[in-house]
Every structure is written in C-alpha cells, then in structure tokens.
Amino acid sequence: SQTIHQWPATLVQPVGSPLSLECTVEGTSNPNLYWYRQAAGRGLQLLFYSVGIGQISSEVPQNLSASRPQDRQFILSSKKLLLSDSGFYLCAWSDLSGGDEKLFFGSGTQLSVL
Amino acid sequence: GQSLEQPSEVTAVEGAIVQINCTYQTSGFYGLSWYQQHDGGAPTFLSYNALDGLEETGRFSSFLSRSDSYGYLLLQELQMKDSASYFCAVFNKFYFGSGTKLNVKP
C-alpha cells in the first residue's frame, strides 16, 4: 500500500533562517506531488506541484521554492524565512495516470517563524 | 483563476442532516471533491463527482451540477465525530475552497 511521510511534525525557526521540509512517498511510482500551506482556521493554498523529477510549477510568487530530486521525494525550501511563512505545511500525492482523482496528504508540519 | 465559495461555519445537532454548499469558478474543470479535516490533522478524502448527480457513500452524499458550477456535501445522521472542517476542491491541480467548520452539538 502507498504511504506518505512528512517531517518534522513541528518546527520553530527564527526569522531569516533557512528552511527545508521533506516529503517522501512509498508504494507508488511517478506520483504527482503537491505542497500546500494552511493558515490557522483557513483553507489550503496550493504552493507547488510536480508531475515528474525536476518538473516544478509554482502557483504563488513567494519566499519559498520546491525541488524534486527523486521520483518520490519532494522538498520545500527557503533561504530566509519571513514571519509570514508561518503556517501548517502539507505535502500530498495523487496518481492521475491511473485516473485517481484523490489527494493523499502527509501528516503536516506546523512551522512557527519567530 | 480559480475561486471556490463555501459557508464559513455551520452548526447542527446530533442526528440531524446538514448540507454544505460550494460554488466554483475555474477553467479546465474535471470534477469536484470533498475533504474532511479535524483540528490539527491532515485532510482526508470523502467523495468525488465528475458527472452531474448524487454520489452516496454511507452517511455522506455529494452532489454536482456542472451547468450551475455548484455542488454540495450532505451529511446525514450527524455524530459528534463529524465536527470538523469540510473543504470542496476542484479537480484541476486540486484547488481548495476556504472550508466550512461544522459544529455538531448534542
């Protein structure tokens, strides 16, 4: 069966520090991968999505970047965090090649920038 | 661009029926999904409608009208554990609405 791993669960970082969040998927190949951010009590904002290795689409101009160095690995990064980068970050995958319209989410990372 | 509109909050009593509406504007529409998220947790998939009509899955049903760009999630026989946020999402890069917080009271 397929599983998605996301870590860390919580992170407290000072303003101006770098960020690296990692997400890996097991049990499937060539998944579509997504990064979302959710502010407290709000909806999910699509940040990046990827249909393959090295293929990244950015949805919102911001202080973040994403990379996909391997088929089942998706990384969210920042060189210098801002206060506004605080939020709940969620990684997700889908298998659209099989006509699967479902998104499967990781457990999320609560990021607090202080 | 995309926009999805949902009520921000709904309150209902245990055992009742509640309907959460979603209207959307998007290009390249393929279908409408619904997700449930409990506080502090990750969203989980509930249902998906690609065609007009009603899809039923246990106590939950979802409806879509493509001509009206409208859908809803129907929750029957409400239980306390149904207290959560519910999101509609358009299946085209998976854009989400702002979510509806459902409060179920005894």
Side-chain angles (χ1 to χ4, degrees):
Chain A
S1 64
Q2 301 91 353
T3 56
I4 179 169
H5 302 279
Q6 186 181 344
W7 67 92
T10 58
L11 191 60
V12 180
Q13 292 285 101
V15 169
S17 64
L19 172 74
S20 181
L21 301 180
E22 188 166 343
C23 170
T24 60
V25 181
E26 295 179 357
T28 187
S29 59
N30 197 31
N32 284 8
L33 297 173
Y34 307 79
W35 277 111
Y36 288 87
R37 177 171 60 200
Q38 186 176 32
R42 306 295 294 275
L44 285 77
Q45 180 186 31
L46 179 61
L47 301 177
F48 301 95
Y49 72 96
S50 171
V51 299
I53 296 174
Q55 300 178 63
I56 310 294
S57 293
S58 174
E59 287 293 306
V60 181
Q62 58 209 320
N63 186 41
L64 302 168
S65 63
S67 62
R68 184 170 177 174
Q70 300 180 42
D71 180 45
R72 290 169 289 179
Q73 183 185 29
F74 206 22
I75 298 172
L76 183 70
S77 304
S78 174
K79 293 182 179 178
K80 290 186 178 181
L81 283 169
L82 306 173
L83 287 174
S84 57
D85 292 324
S86 293
F88 190 45
Y89 288 82
L90 290 154
C91 180
W93 74 274
S94 67
D95 180 11
L96 298 182
S97 64
D100 191 341
E101 72 287 345
K102 302 176 187 176
L103 267 182
F104 300 91
F105 286 88
S107 53
T109 296
Q110 185 64 54
L111 172 66
S112 298
V113 182
L114 305 177
Chain B
Q2 288 70 223
S3 71
L4 296 95
E5 298 286 336
Q6 303 179 234
S8 59
E9 193 164 352
V10 173
T11 299
V13 297
E14 219 174 352
I17 299 173
V18 70
Q19 179 174 313
I20 299 174
N21 298 321
C22 174
T23 57
Y24 59 87
Q25 285 186 312
T26 183
S27 57
F29 178 82
Y30 295 98
L32 189 71
S33 299
W34 290 92
Y35 289 78
Q36 178 192 60
Q37 184 182 31
H38 287 97
D39 284 346
T44 56
F45 173 83
L46 290 177
S47 67
Y48 173 71
N49 294 69
L51 304 174
D52 287 0
L54 192 67
E55 294 280 344
E56 298 181 64
T57 309
R59 295 187 296 114
F60 294 0
S61 303
S62 57
F63 172 83
L64 175 65
S65 169
R66 297 174 70 111
S67 60
D68 295 323
S69 298
Y70 163 77
Y72 66 73
L73 180 69
L74 190 73
L75 297 85
Q76 303 182 72
E77 301 173 15
L78 280 175
Q79 302 175 9
M80 297 299 293
K81 67 178 182 180
D82 297 329
S83 291
S85 292
Y86 293 84
F87 297 88
C88 58
V90 290
F91 178 46
N92 175 24
K93 300 181 189 177
F94 294 102
Y95 294 105
F96 282 74
S98 53
T100 299
K101 186 173 177 59
L102 172 62
N103 302 301
V104 180
K105 297 191 172 182

